[in-house]
């Protein structure tokens, strides 16, 4: 099991995100109320980046066409996206947010 360091937890402000590459994939790590959620940073509708999209609670809104994704589960919540995004396990180790590399 490999954990990839992202950033110090106190450097990802609430409602903000950081990005990291995990196994060749860009992952966006969001701080929502002090809990960190990690998703593949690619909209399943057209491949656009999700990081930087508006947040509503634990939902990110794709800045290109408005598809909504649940940060907890990766579920696509509205058209034009119908497929979920991949999620990644996170943890804080010695003050650093880490993302688990898939097995």
């Amino acid at each position: 099991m490999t954990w990839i360091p992202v950033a110090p937890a106190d450097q990802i402000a609430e409602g903000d995100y950081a990005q990291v590459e995990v196994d060749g994939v860009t992952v966006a790590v969001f701080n929502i109320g002090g809990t960190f959620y990690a998703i593949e940073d690619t909209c399943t509708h057209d491949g656009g980046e999700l990081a930087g999209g508006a947040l509503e609670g634990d939902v990110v809104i794709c800045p290109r066409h408005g598809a909504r994704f649940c940060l907890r589960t990766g579920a696509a919540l509205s058209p034009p996206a119908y497929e979920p995004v991949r999620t990644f396990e996170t943890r804080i180790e010695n003050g650093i947010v880490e993302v688990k590399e898939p097995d």
Side-chain angles (χ1 to χ4, degrees):
M1 162 179 2
T2 302
W3 290 88
I4 311 298
V6 179
D10 62 3
Q11 289 186 8
I12 306 173
E14 183 170 339
D16 205 359
Y17 67 91
Q19 293 170 300
V20 65
E21 188 171 306
V22 177
D23 198 27
V25 172
T26 301
V27 174
V29 181
F30 295 86
N31 177 352
I32 305 298
T35 301
F36 294 91
Y37 299 99
I39 61 169
E40 185 171 344
D41 193 19
T42 305
C43 179
T44 58
H45 164 242
D46 73 351
E49 188 175 278
L50 294 170
L55 296 174
E56 290 182 357
D58 63 358
V59 173
V60 63
I61 303 168
C62 179
R64 292 178 52 114
H65 298 112
R68 295 169 177 261
F69 295 91
C70 178
L71 295 173
R72 290 179 296 105
T73 66
L77 302 175
S78 68
Y82 297 97
E83 297 297 319
V85 292
R86 185 165 47 157
T87 61
F88 297 81
E89 188 177 342
T90 65
R91 72 177 185 186
I92 299 175
E93 189 72 21
N94 298 317
I96 304 295
V97 178
E98 298 179 335
V99 173
K100 184 179 178 186
E101 185 173 13
D103 296 327

